[in-house]
Amino acid sequence: MEQLKRATISDVAVHAGVSRAAVSKVLRNAYGVSPAMRTRVEKSMALLNYRPLAAARGMRGNSYTLGVFLVDLSNTFFSVLVEGVRDVAEELGYQVLIGQARHGLDAQQKLIDAMVDRRMDGLLLIAPFGPNEELEKLGRSIPVVVLGRHGPAAHFDTVASDDIAGSALIVDHLVSLGHQRISMLANTQPSSEPGMPQTVRREGYDLAMKKHGLDEWIDHVPGRWGYESGLEAGRSLARRPLAKRPTAVHGGADVAALGAFTGLFDSGIDIPGDMSLVGYDNVPAASLPPIGLTTVDQSGVQMGRQAAELLLSRIEGRQESQHILVPPRLIIRRTTCPPALADASTAGSTRRSFPVE
């Protein structure tokens, strides 16, 4: 016999014809709820057999607080994700508390433990390091959603960009322009779990290069996805002999690609005339006119909203794990063009294959 779907706070809101925030206020017995509103919402709860699991939430403190963990405040894409999380949380009367841990598993674990100790209702972890086993253990004790890491997982949910497809968009675009010597700025510090975005994007790059018969040009430039590491990567590429220098670069993440942009520019490399450059994330700075970075957009605000909605449904009692892959899209701007030595007629024949922002 098929199990009936458990009613959620969203179902109650739709049935009662009110906002989810209004339902949340009724549940919390918050100030400002009219008797008519309370009656309407409570009637819908009864008809839908909605149960908010108040006892379970009470044991965790019933704090109406979500903890958001991240490792790098300098990556502005994380702030885009948090914007989406905050949008959903505020609609439902939740507070969002953000914590940052420096690189290192010990610092990460201490911050996560501190969030748990403060009896937050659920945790949203943005690109955490460490083995899946530790996340599974955490997910058995408190509702957890992980942003950026790929599934599968039994005791927590994931929301991530389809990084295989995103890297393929980059390589396909560059090949369509006539590029063959395409390098990638790889995030190799520290070594990553299989589901981490740096691992999956690198795999997507490798697969796409092989698909185009460019195995010999596969080149992972080691470093970390940060501005300073990207800056050094750009300088190191500029120091290479011309015959070994790529004509195009998959930047891995916008924060690294912007650093590489500066390093190449300072070294006298023209972008895109001497070297095309593509980022990944579509952070606000990428669209600034002096930069105009071609990049992959992964709908960061929407990803954050989806992650928050998953976390709230877990807090309401859902136990089966869900894993969402967000389809990416390529945003073509000013930092890509055919390589200088490519035949213009060949390179130009496929330039219209992708929409330009």
Side-chain angles (χ1 to χ4, degrees), residues 19-31:
S19 68
R20 292 185 298 179
V23 178
S24 178
K25 286 183 177 181
V26 171
L27 288 170
R28 292 184 287 121
N29 197 27
Y31 175 78

Side-chain angles (χ1 to χ4, degrees), residues 276-357:
S276 287
L277 178 64
V278 184
Y280 201 120
D281 289 334
N282 197 27
V283 300
S287 64
L288 293 176
I291 301 171
L293 181 67
T294 295
T295 188
V296 170
D297 180 72
Q298 46 182 332
S299 304
V301 172
Q302 184 59 30
M303 285 179 68
R305 291 188 63 91
Q306 289 176 306
E309 288 168 355
L310 285 177
L311 185 57
L312 291 169
S313 70
R314 270 203 178 268
I315 291 169
E316 291 178 11
R318 176 178 57 82
Q319 294 185 354
E320 73 283 1
S321 61
Q322 295 185 18
H323 306 288
I324 296 175
L325 275 184
V326 178
R329 64 189 184 104
L330 186 69
I331 306 295
I332 298 177
R333 297 192 179 106
R334 297 174 51 187
T335 59
T336 52
C337 75
L341 299 179
D343 179 76
S345 62
T346 302
S349 64
T350 54
R351 276 191 86 174
R352 298 179 182 271
S353 299
F354 299 87
V356 178
E357 184 185 57

